[in-house]
Amino acid sequence: MNGPLPELGADDQTLPIASNDDVVRARQLVRTLAQRCKLSLVDQTKLVTAASELARNTLVYGGGGVLRIGLVRRDGKTGVTAVFDDSGPGIPDVDQALTDGWTSGGGLGLGLSGARRLVDEFALDTEAGGGTRVSVTKWGR
């Protein structure tokens, strides 16, 4: 993968995603930071749902990877940024992968497109044979 990870705060954390238990731990960590950031319950749920989908994609399609998460600040606002990074096969057609209803597996096809709708900022970096990095941010209101 090319490019640096987004700048996270001093309290950023890294969690390997190599099993279903790690996906659960990722959700718990995201919720903890969303609460610390004082996101509303609705925004906490949106962020945790997006992170759950992305953690599952990291495991299933990327063969495992890493979650890096932390609080971020911009323009007087505080938010949570979560970065999911894997070294899997990459996504050959990003536009297709971001289309509602499209799936490369047996899922509902709402993983990437659904995650993108649930957060305030979404960035996807992928290359064939070079893995995938998805970064999401949810800002406090």
Side-chain angles (χ1 to χ4, degrees):
M1 295 298 308
N2 296 324
L5 290 171
E7 287 294 321
L8 297 177
D11 60 348
D12 67 321
Q13 299 180 48
T14 301
L15 176 72
I17 299 176
S19 70
N20 287 325
D21 288 342
D22 293 333
V23 172
V24 172
R25 280 190 277 281
R27 281 196 304 259
Q28 292 167 339
L29 180 56
V30 169
R31 182 166 306 280
T32 297
L33 285 180
Q35 290 169 339
R36 187 177 307 158
C37 182
K38 299 189 183 337
L39 292 180
S40 71
L41 184 57
V42 169
D43 283 345
Q44 288 177 39
T45 302
K46 288 179 178 181
L47 181 59
V48 169
T49 301
S52 181
E53 291 294 328
L54 296 172
R56 172 92 29 226
N57 282 358
T58 299
L59 178 63
V60 172
Y61 300 111
V66 174
L67 162 63
R68 186 163 167 234
I69 185 169
L71 299 181
V72 291
R73 289 170 183 75
R74 185 190 314 146
D75 299 328
K77 288 184 170 183
T78 302
V80 178
T81 292
V83 180
F84 297 85
D85 206 351
D86 70 58
S87 298
I91 301 170
D93 186 338
V94 172
D95 290 336
Q96 185 177 42
L98 288 170
T99 301
D100 285 345
W102 184 84
T103 178
S104 63
L108 297 175
L110 297 175
L112 286 176
S113 63
R116 181 172 61 175
R117 278 194 311 276
L118 292 170
V119 298
D120 298 320
E121 295 177 15
F122 178 95
L124 173 65
D125 181 24
T126 187
E127 56 187 73
T132 301
R133 177 180 295 150
V134 181
S135 174
V136 295
T137 302
K138 191 72 175 163
W139 293 101
R141 302 283 172 230

